[in-house]
């Protein structure tokens, strides 16, 4: 037994099953680097997660949010973020997706300026997905990545094409990685994703020189809820650069404003990251989820109508977008628009035509409102987004000189009632369908899933289940049927959905899936008396 002055030996344990070629990324040196992040910054991360709960309790008690009085000086002073590197000057079209080999090839070949390589919402965090994603990125940078389907179709990088700039999205602060233990405790998924990528690729990318689109370590930061959380990322970046002998400010990060609390701290978030900040992104789907989560019990004025009826033209979403562009351009940062999630259909030209018209209008609106670029989920949408931004930008890389007029108020950001949508049986049914179908795929290790011609990820599943929770809690009566939303009604819809899926798939295919587990998890996170913060937390224990 150790004496009172003796410490137990420090340890790093890989608890996950072996992954093919895993030893290439899980080297002793890389694991030590990740462990260093965990030991130094893990305690502060846990404190910040506790502060989230305290803040949520205050929101519940006060029923509102406002800009922080203690940081008013940051908002009023003139300051700028550091200049963006050449690779991040022109971001007019960005494509997103997981880091599986097929997506890596397709995204880099897509013609998009940027690829968001997603270890977060578009990746189910199985250990194999986490490790293989890191291997795939290294193979891509070394131009040795390819992929072949069972049908014999092959994918490879185009030899002479300029590839998209890779911007990696690590997991959010709230997620643990149970397959890597440091001193007996799980490491934060954020430290694993960021640490392995930075350790293996920062020097490799910098050696390419500034003319190469992949000439530096760039990141998207998800689920940020406050400037204090951005400050922690800044401290992680500073430490990582010092440890590997890389110049301060080399890392560049774009923060997703996908929580309602972060929307009130955009200036402060950029300020905390100012040496490393590249911009902000309008993460619209998670933003809706965060509104529901934080204001779910704050009154009827915050009830969100059917998800599909709430768009960026809704007053509170317009205010959010306007504030994001204003803030970014005042501070010299890029403002990146939201996701076009439509997946083109090879079978239904009418569906395609209608959807493409909506995508075109969405991207033209963003370009016209001052955004410097935007997201798509499918390569077929890259030309639409590019055309919309080409029409406004021309040969300019961005439009940071555009400053939308008019101050955005807290009341405008919180004007959910102004959306004027309805709560319908169709919307409720869709929420059940999307939630169950996504969760079932996620439990099988798929994080980005095409459902009803839309690319769904964890964010949209979160909207689905949280909206149901909010409707039940507030006793919503459906506008089109006059039926009150209750747990019993939702359970009936779940049972009906499972029966329809069995009939659609056939007994054998149904049994080989994880539909029962998916339905159970969906009911757990949609119907629990106490609202679960993220469905991925209880889901992680069920993940294959």
């Amino acid at each position: 037994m150790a004496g009172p002055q003796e410490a137990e030996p420090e340890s790093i344990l890989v608890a996950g099953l072996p992954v093919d070629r895993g030893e290439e990324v899980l080297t002793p040196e890389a694991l030590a680097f990740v462990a260093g992040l965990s030991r130094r910054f893990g305690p502060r991360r846990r404190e910040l997660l506790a502060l989230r709960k305290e803040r949520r309790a205050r929101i519940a008690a006060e029923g509102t949010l406002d800009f922080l009085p203690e940081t008013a000086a940051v908002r009023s002073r003139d300051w700028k973020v550091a200049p963006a590197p050449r690779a991040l000057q022109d971001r007019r079209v960005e494509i997103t997706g997981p880091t599986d080999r097929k997506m890596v090839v397709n995204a880099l070949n897509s013609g998009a300026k940027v690829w968001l390589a997603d270890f977060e919402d578009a990746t189910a965090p199985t250990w194999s997905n986490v490790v293989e994603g890191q291997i795939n990125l290294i193979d891509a940078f070394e131009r040795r990545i390819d992929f072949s389907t069972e049908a014999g179709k092959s994918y490879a990088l185009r030899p002479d094409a300029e590839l998209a700039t890779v911007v990696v999205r690590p997991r959010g602060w709230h997620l643990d990685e149970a397959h890597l233990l440091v001193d007996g405790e799980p490491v934060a998924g954020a430290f694993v994703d960021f640490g392995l990528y930075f350790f293996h690729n920062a020097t490799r990318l910098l050696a390419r020189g500034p003319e190469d689109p992949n000439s530096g370590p760039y990141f998207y930061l998800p689920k940020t809820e406050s400037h204090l959380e951005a400050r922690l990322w800044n401290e992680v970046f500073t430490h990582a650069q010092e440890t590997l002998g890389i110049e301060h400010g080399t890392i560049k990060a774009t923060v997703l404003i996908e929580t309602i609390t972060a929307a009130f701290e955009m200036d402060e978030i950029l300020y905390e990251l100012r040496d490393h900040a590249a911009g902000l992104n309008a993460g619209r789907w998670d933003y809706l989820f965060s509104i529901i989560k934080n204001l779910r019990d704050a009154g009827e004025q915050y009830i969100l109508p059917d998800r599909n009826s709430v768009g960026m033209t809704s007053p509170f979403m317009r205010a959010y977008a306007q504030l994001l562009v204003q803030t970014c351009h005042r501070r010299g940062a890029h403002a990146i628009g939201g996701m076009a999630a439509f997946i083109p259909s090879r079978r239904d030209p009418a569906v395609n035509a209608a959807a493409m018209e909506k995508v075109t209008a969405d991207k033209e609106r963003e370009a016209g409102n001052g955004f410097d670029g935007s997201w798509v989920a499918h390569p077929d949408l890259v030309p639409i987004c590019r055309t919309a931004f080409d029409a406004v930008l021309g040969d300019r890389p961005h439009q940071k000189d555009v400053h939308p007029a008019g101050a955005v108020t807290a009341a405008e950001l919180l004007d959910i009632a102004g959306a004027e949508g309805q709560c319908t049986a169709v919307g409720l049914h869709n929420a059940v369908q999307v939630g169950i179908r996504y969760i079932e795929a996620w439990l099988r290790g798929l994080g980005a899933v095409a459902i009803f011609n839309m690319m769904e990820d964890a964010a949209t599943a979160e909207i689905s289940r949280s909206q149901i929770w909010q409707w039940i809690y507030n006793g919503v009566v459906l506008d089109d049927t006059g039926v009150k939303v209750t747990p019993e009604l939702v359970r009936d819809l779940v049972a009906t959905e499972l029966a329809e899926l069995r009939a659609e798939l056939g007994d054998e295919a149904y049994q080989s899936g994880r539909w029962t587990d998916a339905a159970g998890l969906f009911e757990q996170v949609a119907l629990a008396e106490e609202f679960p913060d993220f469905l991925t937390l209880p889901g992680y224990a069920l993940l294959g």
Side-chain angles (χ1 to χ4, degrees):
M1 178 179 291
Q5 303 302 315
E6 299 175 36
E8 295 291 336
E10 295 178 338
S11 65
I12 304 171
L13 175 64
V14 177
L17 294 174
V19 178
D20 186 36
R21 296 178 59 199
E23 70 280 357
E24 297 178 27
V25 294
L26 301 174
T27 64
E29 297 81 6
L31 292 175
F33 180 76
V34 173
L37 296 176
S38 183
R39 290 174 179 137
R40 181 160 182 169
F41 301 107
R44 180 54 177 162
R45 170 203 168 230
R46 289 189 287 273
E47 291 174 359
L48 290 171
L49 293 178
L51 288 177
R52 285 185 179 184
K53 294 185 180 296
E54 293 178 13
R55 188 177 199 179
R56 158 59 199 153
R58 290 198 302 273
I59 293 170
E62 298 169 3
T64 191
L65 275 163
D66 207 342
F67 299 97
L68 301 178
E70 63 268 29
T71 56
V74 172
R75 296 193 297 275
S76 63
R77 290 202 310 264
D78 288 330
W79 50 267
K80 302 282 187 181
V81 302
R86 180 181 182 276
L88 293 177
Q89 284 289 328
D90 190 334
R91 304 177 61 175
R92 66 187 67 201
V93 54
E94 303 192 356
I95 191 168
T96 73
T99 54
D100 62 85
R101 290 185 83 80
K102 180 180 176 182
M103 183 67 202
V104 171
V105 173
N106 285 342
L108 292 175
N109 283 342
S110 67
K113 290 291 187 179
V114 168
W115 170 43
L116 186 155
D118 196 3
F119 285 95
E120 206 233 2
D121 272 359
T123 292
T126 65
W127 184 236
S128 59
N129 282 347
V130 169
V131 176
E132 287 171 1
Q134 297 283 348
I135 294 168
N136 294 340
L137 291 173
I138 293 172
D139 284 352
F141 295 138
E142 295 299 326
R143 283 190 176 263
R144 64 191 180 209
I145 192 166
D146 55 23
F147 176 78
S148 297
T149 67
E150 293 181 0
K153 188 172 182 180
S154 297
Y155 300 81
L157 296 180
R158 295 198 298 269
D160 301 322
E162 182 174 286
L163 304 181
T165 299
V166 175
V167 180
V168 168
R169 177 161 71 166
R171 279 168 282 182
W173 285 131
H174 60 290
L175 293 168
D176 285 338
E177 176 48 74
H179 302 98
L180 183 61
L181 307 179
V182 170
D183 308 328
E185 296 293 330
V187 176
F191 295 147
V192 174
D193 301 336
F194 165 80
L196 290 177
Y197 180 77
F198 185 78
F199 183 86
H200 286 294
N201 295 295
T203 301
R204 170 186 281 113
L205 295 171
L206 291 169
R208 292 171 171 268
E211 297 303 310
D212 193 287
N214 286 296
S215 55
Y218 310 132
F219 297 91
Y220 258 109
L221 304 181
K223 305 291 190 292
T224 302
E225 297 199 10
S226 73
H227 70 285
L228 299 179
E229 295 182 13
R231 180 182 299 171
L232 178 59
W233 268 119
N234 198 65
E235 292 169 354
V236 168
F237 294 161
T238 299
H239 169 83
Q241 290 165 142
E242 289 176 351
T243 301
L244 296 191
I246 291 172
E247 184 179 355
H248 180 80
T250 298
I251 291 172
K252 295 300 177 185
T254 304
V255 180
L256 290 116
I257 301 300
E258 54 185 356
T259 66
I260 183 63
T261 51
F264 284 88
E265 299 182 38
M266 294 189 203
D267 270 307
E268 294 90 331
I269 287 168
L270 285 176
Y271 184 78
E272 295 292 345
L273 285 159
R274 58 195 178 278
D275 291 344
H276 300 108
L280 303 177
N281 169 274
R284 60 176 76 169
W285 300 126
D286 260 309
Y287 188 68
L288 293 177
F289 162 53
S290 175
I291 287 173
I292 299 171
K293 178 166 69 172
N294 281 285
L295 299 166
R296 62 186 182 265
D297 49 8
E300 293 184 356
Q301 69 271 29
Y302 296 123
I303 294 175
L304 200 74
D306 290 359
R307 162 200 161 187
N308 293 330
S309 71
V310 180
M312 295 305 293
T313 58
S314 298
F316 74 101
M317 295 299 280
R318 283 204 310 269
Y320 154 69
Q322 178 182 332
L323 180 60
L324 192 148
V325 173
Q326 288 175 331
T327 304
C328 286
H329 289 182
R330 183 184 179 198
R331 306 308 182 183
H334 279 70
I336 307 300
M339 168 72 81
F342 176 67
I343 302 299
S345 170
R346 307 302 183 198
R347 303 175 186 173
D348 195 332
V351 168
N352 264 7
M356 294 298 192
E357 185 178 343
K358 290 181 180 179
V359 172
T360 299
D362 181 52
K363 298 310 167 191
E364 289 177 348
R365 176 190 46 75
E366 287 183 320
N369 287 347
F371 282 94
D372 303 296
S374 192
W375 281 11
V376 299
H378 193 278
D380 286 358
L381 303 184
V382 168
I384 293 176
C385 187
R386 186 193 305 116
T387 298
F389 278 87
D390 284 351
V392 172
L393 297 179
D395 294 332
R396 296 179 300 158
H398 52 72
Q399 52 180 337
K400 294 180 186 177
D401 57 326
V402 172
H403 299 276
V408 175
T409 66
E412 288 173 322
L413 290 173
L414 296 173
D415 183 21
I416 313 305
E420 296 183 345
Q422 292 187 319
C423 301
T424 70
V426 173
L428 179 62
H429 186 206
N430 181 258
V432 170
Q433 288 179 302
V434 170
I436 291 176
R437 289 171 189 241
Y438 178 80
I439 290 173
E440 192 276 336
W442 189 86
L443 292 175
R444 288 187 288 109
L446 301 174
V449 187
I451 303 174
F452 307 140
N453 292 116
M454 298 289 286
M455 184 60 75
E456 307 285 5
D457 65 10
T460 47
E462 291 282 27
I463 296 173
S464 297
R465 66 91 181 185
S466 61
Q467 187 159 54
I468 289 172
W469 195 100
Q470 185 188 42
W471 287 6
I472 291 172
Y473 181 90
N474 288 279
V476 165
V477 175
L478 299 173
D479 291 294
D480 53 346
T481 63
V483 174
K484 184 178 180 180
V485 183
T486 64
E488 293 73 26
L489 174 61
V490 174
R491 290 190 183 97
D492 286 344
L493 288 171
V494 170
T496 299
E497 175 67 7
L498 293 181
E500 291 176 351
L501 283 163
R502 183 186 289 272
E504 174 186 327
L505 300 171
D507 285 343
E508 184 176 348
Y510 181 87
Q511 292 295 345
S512 66
R514 299 197 62 183
W515 297 106
T516 300
D517 290 337
L521 177 57
F522 183 77
E523 290 189 7
Q524 176 185 347
V525 296
L527 305 180
E529 185 172 341
E530 292 294 325
F531 184 89
D533 283 341
F534 296 95
L535 69 82
T536 48
L537 295 178
Y540 192 52
L542 302 173
L543 194 61

